[in-house]
């Protein structure tokens, strides 16, 4: 009889370990009925239920990404990062061009304001600008300054 009790005790001690090792799956069919089983259903999303804690985890391959899908996602992320880098490089070049245009316009306007007579070369001959031509150049350089010296995206002021 001791032998039977010992065998029964051993069997009862091993049972929770065997049950814990088994997988239990939970899924809902198209009619909304929840099913439980020891085999993962084909063609349906299922969750693996942890019998001891009662928690679930996704186990259908549709829920996990394959290596190919992960690679595609990584390449997509890298291409979007590269595109953002290129956009920032274009913005930086545009900003530098605006700064250069602003500095040139300021310098030219200073020259126009400091000299009474401005000499230019046209068709290989030197000549002086007339007062109305000087005023036209001032207006043009002010417009360039308004476009390039202010914050980006600001429209030139109307006069």
């Amino acid at each position: 009889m001791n032998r039977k009790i010992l065998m029964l005790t051993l069997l009862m001690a091993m049972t929770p370990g065997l049950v814990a090792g088994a997988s239990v799956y939970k899924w809902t069919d198209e009619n909304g009925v929840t099913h439980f089983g020891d085999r993962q259903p084909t063609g349906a999303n299922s969750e693996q239920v942890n019998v001891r804690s009662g928690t679930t985890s996704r186990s259908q391959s549709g829920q996990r990404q394959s290596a190919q899908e992960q690679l595609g996602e990584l390449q997509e992320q890298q291409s979007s990062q590269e595109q953002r880098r290129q956009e920032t490089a274009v913005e930086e070049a545009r900003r530098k061009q605006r700064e250069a245009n602003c500095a040139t316009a300021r310098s030219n306007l200073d020259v126009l304001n400091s000299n009474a007579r401005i000499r230019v070369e046209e068709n290989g001959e030197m000549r002086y600008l007339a007062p109305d031509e000087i005023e036209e150049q001032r207006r043009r350089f002010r417009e360039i300054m308004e476009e390039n010296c202010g914050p980006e995206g600001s429209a030139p002021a109307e006069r």
Side-chain angles (χ1 to χ4, degrees):
M1 179 135 143
N2 280 340
R3 190 176 248 182
K4 287 182 183 180
I5 292 175
L6 180 61
M7 203 56 148
L8 184 61
T9 307
L10 249 149
L11 186 61
M12 288 176 63
M14 287 177 32
T15 302
L18 292 173
V19 172
S23 296
V24 177
Y25 296 95
K26 172 184 167 185
W27 71 94
T28 305
D29 65 11
E30 59 275 349
N31 297 326
V33 178
T34 302
H35 298 277
F36 292 91
D38 61 346
R39 293 188 191 143
Q40 187 174 1
T42 56
N45 288 338
S46 63
E47 299 174 348
Q48 187 172 7
V49 178
N50 186 339
V51 179
R52 288 189 147 182
S53 67
T55 60
T56 61
S57 64
R58 299 278 179 200
S59 61
Q60 182 68 2
S61 62
Q63 299 297 325
R64 296 187 92 157
Q65 290 184 333
S66 69
Q68 191 67 24
E69 290 171 333
Q70 289 175 352
L71 178 63
E73 193 174 293
L74 180 63
Q75 288 173 340
E76 187 177 307
Q77 288 174 353
Q78 288 174 342
S79 67
S80 67
Q81 287 175 349
E82 181 62 29
Q83 184 178 1
R84 274 185 255 135
R85 270 190 238 116
Q86 288 176 351
E87 287 172 358
T88 56
V90 167
E91 291 296 321
E92 181 69 17
R94 186 178 297 135
R95 183 187 60 78
K96 286 182 178 180
Q97 183 63 47
R98 283 175 44 91
E99 288 174 357
N101 290 347
C102 176
T104 302
R106 279 193 176 139
S107 172
N108 289 342
L109 192 58
D110 287 344
V111 168
L112 286 175
N113 290 333
S114 65
N115 294 330
R117 297 180 73 185
I118 305 295
R119 195 168 69 176
V120 294
E121 181 180 339
E122 285 183 350
N123 301 327
E125 295 183 18
M126 299 299 282
R127 73 172 188 89
Y128 290 101
L129 291 179
D132 57 332
E133 290 176 315
I134 292 174
E135 196 54 43
E136 174 62 27
Q137 291 293 325
R138 280 190 183 117
R139 186 193 57 73
R140 197 173 118 238
F141 289 134
R142 284 188 189 117
E143 286 177 3
I144 293 172
M145 284 178 54
E146 287 175 2
E147 290 175 8
N148 293 286
C149 294
E152 191 165 350
S154 62
E158 297 286 329
R159 282 194 243 176

